[in-house]
Amino acid sequence: MVHKPKIKAPNAIDVHVGSRIRLQRGLMGMSQKTLADGLGVTFQQVQKYEKGRNRVGSSRLQAIANILNVPVTYFFEEGPGYSSSPQVSGAFRELTQFLDSNEGLALNRAFMQIQDAKIRRKLIELARTLAKEPSE
């Protein structure tokens, strides 16, 4: 009888840390290759970190935090075992889900490029109208 090695599921904290790396990297408009070059690893390794398949060691996490210009604690915020007020938690989860999508990230980048505040407000109103959400 041949035993196949069990494939271990990624740890929930490793998955969360990876998603936070991806989120911050995306918010900065940084490619996986650029982050990988800064760390001295391959972009495939960065992919594995971001998916939680490979655990990020403490010194490597500090290096990632430095490159992404965030404190190390950023990677653990809202993760398993993290406690905050329910209102902050819900809003943060919503924001993270939005920015974790390709569309959300692209929309955020484009929106931040609009210099005129009046146009940004009009765009928000358009989005609310399209979503059939009442204005505040």
Side-chain angles (χ1 to χ4, degrees):
M1 183 172 166
V2 176
H3 291 286
K4 290 185 181 179
K6 291 182 183 178
I7 297 175
K8 198 170 151 185
N11 179 285
I13 294 173
D14 294 333
V15 171
H16 179 75
V17 167
S19 73
R20 298 287 287 180
I21 293 170
R22 181 178 185 270
L23 174 64
Q24 184 62 24
R25 181 184 58 73
L27 287 172
M28 294 180 70
M30 182 183 291
S31 70
Q32 287 178 331
K33 176 144 179 34
T34 301
L35 178 57
D37 289 347
L39 295 171
V41 300
T42 64
F43 80 91
Q44 291 94 335
Q45 183 63 44
V46 170
Q47 285 177 334
K48 289 177 183 180
Y49 289 150
E50 290 184 355
K51 292 181 181 185
R53 286 198 304 252
N54 281 16
R55 184 169 287 166
V56 183
S58 56
S59 59
R60 177 74 36 91
L61 190 59
Q62 181 65 61
I64 292 170
N66 292 343
I67 293 168
L68 298 179
N69 199 29
V70 294
V72 171
T73 56
Y74 165 83
F75 300 111
F76 299 96
E77 292 171 355
E78 297 298 318
Y82 183 85
S83 64
S84 67
S85 76
Q87 292 161 321
V88 171
S89 181
F92 186 81
R93 190 172 16 263
E94 204 174 83
L95 178 62
T96 302
Q97 286 174 339
F98 172 70
L99 292 175
D100 207 26
S101 71
N102 291 335
E103 296 87 355
L105 197 52
L107 184 58
N108 182 67
R109 282 190 193 139
F111 185 84
M112 295 308 293
Q113 301 258 332
I114 300 170
Q115 299 297 314
D116 188 332
K118 195 182 222 181
I119 293 173
R120 286 195 304 265
R121 285 191 297 275
K122 292 280 187 191
L123 187 56
I124 291 167
E125 286 302 315
L126 173 62
R128 284 184 176 138
T129 300
L130 292 172
K132 296 181 173 84
E133 175 185 318
S135 297
E136 292 181 28

